[in-house]
Amino acid sequence: FVCTQQDLLPCKSFPETLLFQLLGLSIATLSTVTHYGLHFSLISNISLNSNAYRAIHHTAFYFGICLSMTLILAALLSSAATVRESQCLTAMGFFCFALAFCGLIPAACWRYTHSTEVEDSMMDVYDFVYEEVRRNTSSFRRHELTAIHEAFLCCGKHSPFGDTTNVENKTCPEDQVHGEGQDCLQEIQDLVKKHMDFVFSLLGIAIGFTVYGMILTSFLWFSIHFSSNLYRKGKYILR
């Protein structure tokens, strides 16, 4: 579409609005895939009272959904404020961006200071299930351990002596047992580390965009404010 000089500001804001909406949808998609993905949901659903990963799993999902909704709402408010030249809508858009920024900073700091907590909590769950199966013949735990081996394409914990215990023989797929399958602890650590590095990168991008959004809405608010004052200049009433 063609923009006139009067409508130049709304036309400039539409690409930025689309970027913010895409960012919000990306965060929502990543949160949903992580929450319902086979690898992560399988570890979260392990029936343990001391399953520390379960709290992280649910907290990350709800945080991601709330963050994505906040970014999408901020983008819609900014777009509506630009079209209608409303200072109130612009202030609400700025508040949404600031709210998202206040949530992103603690999340990024937590990931930086607890760089291995997610990986460690998932490996602790696997280690507990493995030891339960090794000490006991519970069919329920054996079923959970077999599901983990099939999901992560791994086979037990490798002994420094290189021997294979009965746990691997009963719970690992045949190709993993005979083909010297990968150590599950190492597989879990590698997969989760790659995933969390991607999440941390997305958090950094989101922080940059929220800062840009706050600057953009601030500029928009002042533009609307001063333009409304300029419209009053040169208008006089004779009495």
Side-chain angles (χ1 to χ4, degrees):
F1 50 87
V2 180
C3 299
T4 62
Q5 184 66 27
Q6 183 179 1
D7 300 329
L8 187 59
L9 186 58
C11 293
K12 283 185 176 180
S13 69
F14 288 142
E16 285 82 359
T17 302
L18 181 61
L19 287 176
F20 288 122
Q21 291 178 345
L22 290 176
L23 179 62
L25 290 175
S26 300
I27 295 175
T29 303
L30 179 62
S31 302
T32 304
V33 169
T34 303
H35 185 73
Y36 295 103
L38 177 61
H39 300 89
F40 300 97
S41 61
L42 184 61
I43 300 295
S44 176
N45 292 332
I46 297 295
S47 55
L48 295 176
N49 294 329
S50 59
N51 191 344
Y53 173 71
R54 185 179 300 158
I56 300 175
H57 185 75
H58 292 294
T59 302
F61 172 71
Y62 293 121
F63 173 79
I65 295 299
C66 292
L67 177 63
S68 63
M69 293 176 61
T70 303
L71 288 175
I72 293 175
L73 179 61
L76 294 177
L77 288 173
S78 300
S79 178
T82 306
V83 173
R84 301 182 61 179
E85 296 186 0
S86 171
Q87 290 179 275
C88 180
L89 292 177
T90 306
M92 293 174 62
F94 177 86
F95 175 77
C96 289
F97 280 120
L99 185 64
F101 180 79
C102 292
L104 285 167
I105 292 298
C109 292
W110 183 90
R111 174 56 188 170
Y112 181 78
T113 56
H114 301 76
S115 57
T116 62
E117 184 165 341
V118 179
E119 297 94 315
D120 292 342
S121 61
M122 293 184 69
M123 289 189 292
D124 287 341
V125 172
Y126 174 81
D127 193 54
F128 183 87
V129 174
Y130 181 90
E131 293 300 325
E132 281 284 310
V133 175
R134 188 177 65 85
R135 291 193 300 262
N136 196 353
T137 58
S138 173
S139 60
F140 181 72
R141 292 296 184 200
R142 189 188 308 161
H143 176 72
E144 290 180 336
L145 187 61
T146 302
I148 295 175
H149 288 164
E150 292 177 352
F152 287 90
L153 299 177
C154 58
C155 184
K157 300 189 296 183
H158 286 181
S159 170
F161 302 102
D163 59 338
T164 302
T165 64
N166 292 328
V167 177
E168 282 81 359
N169 294 326
K170 295 179 179 179
T171 60
C172 293
E174 294 183 2
D175 57 339
Q176 294 290 331
V177 176
H178 300 293
E180 296 183 356
Q182 299 293 327
D183 185 359
C184 280
L185 293 178
Q186 187 63 43
E187 285 294 311
I188 293 174
Q189 185 180 28
D190 292 342
L191 185 144
V192 178
K193 187 177 184 303
K194 291 179 182 178
H195 185 80
M196 294 306 297
D197 288 341
F198 179 76
V199 171
F200 189 72
S201 301
L202 187 60
L203 285 177
I205 295 173
I207 290 174
F209 270 92
T210 51
V211 172
Y212 175 71
M214 288 189 291
I215 296 174
L216 184 65
T217 49
S218 299
F219 173 76
L220 178 61
W221 189 91
F222 283 108
S223 298
I224 295 173
H225 177 72
F226 287 116
S227 63
S228 62
N229 289 337
L230 288 175
Y231 290 151
R232 300 191 187 98
K233 293 184 178 180
K235 296 181 180 180
Y236 302 97
I237 299 176
L238 298 178
R239 294 182 179 177

